[in-house]
Amino acid sequence: MRDKSADERVVLSREILFKENQIDEINREYRNQENQLERFHSEMNRLFNAEQELYDQAQQEGENTSWKEAEFQAVRQEVQRVVSTESELINQGYGQARMKIQDNIDQLHKERKALPWD
C-alpha cells in the first residue's frame, strides 16, 4: 500500500530545501556586503591616516593647519557614522530576510509533520 501523503511530503521537502538554499544565498550576500563595507572603511582609514600625516608634517613646518584639520576631522567622523549606519542597516535587512525565510521553513516543517502516514 502506498503512503497517500508521500508526494506532498516530497514537495514540502523540496520547498524546505529551496528555502534553506535561499538562506545560504542571503548569508553569502550579507558577507559580501559586509566585506565590501569593511574594505571601504579600511581604505578610508588609510587615506585619513595619510592625510593626518600631511597635517602633522605641515604643523612641524610651522604652517597653521587648525582650520583644515577641523574640517578633516568632521569628514572623518561623518564617514565613520555612515559606515556604522550602513553596517547596522545591512545587518538588520539581511537579518529580517533570514528570519522571514526561516519562519517559512518552520511552517513548511509543521505542514510536512502534520501529514498523515497512511
Side-chain angles (χ1 to χ4, degrees):
M1 180 170 176
R2 178 163 159 71
D3 180 2
K4 296 176 184 175
S5 301
D7 292 340
E8 195 169 348
R9 253 190 300 288
V10 167
V11 169
L12 290 171
S13 293
R14 286 182 182 153
E15 286 181 47
I16 290 168
L17 182 60
F18 177 76
K19 296 293 182 184
E20 288 171 344
N21 288 336
Q22 283 182 317
I23 287 179
D24 291 342
E25 181 61 28
I26 285 173
N27 288 336
R28 279 189 294 279
E29 289 176 19
Y30 169 75
R31 284 189 303 276
N32 183 38
Q33 292 294 317
E34 280 291 317
N35 288 338
Q36 287 181 13
L37 187 60
E38 181 58 36
R39 283 192 301 274
F40 169 78
H41 190 226
S42 293
E43 180 63 12
M44 291 304 295
N45 280 336
R46 185 188 68 76
L47 294 171
F48 287 137
N49 290 338
E51 186 74 14
Q52 185 65 53
E53 287 178 21
L54 292 174
Y55 287 129
D56 293 345
Q57 183 180 3
Q59 281 181 331
Q60 287 176 355
E61 294 172 357
E63 189 178 328
N64 183 4
T65 61
S66 60
W67 67 274
K68 292 179 193 175
E69 195 166 356
E71 287 180 11
F72 166 73
Q73 291 301 330
V75 169
R76 187 176 200 159
Q77 288 174 349
E78 181 63 14
V79 168
Q80 297 288 30
R81 186 193 65 74
V82 167
V83 167
S84 178
T85 300
E86 286 300 311
S87 182
E88 289 175 25
L89 290 173
I90 289 169
N91 193 20
Q92 183 180 39
Y94 282 100
Q96 288 174 350
R98 278 190 299 265
M99 283 193 316
K100 183 176 179 181
I101 294 171
Q102 187 59 53
D103 289 346
N104 194 268
I105 289 171
D106 293 344
Q107 182 60 38
L108 291 169
H109 276 292
K110 286 178 186 176
E111 288 176 33
R112 187 177 64 183
K113 186 177 178 181
L115 293 173
W117 288 87
D118 299 333

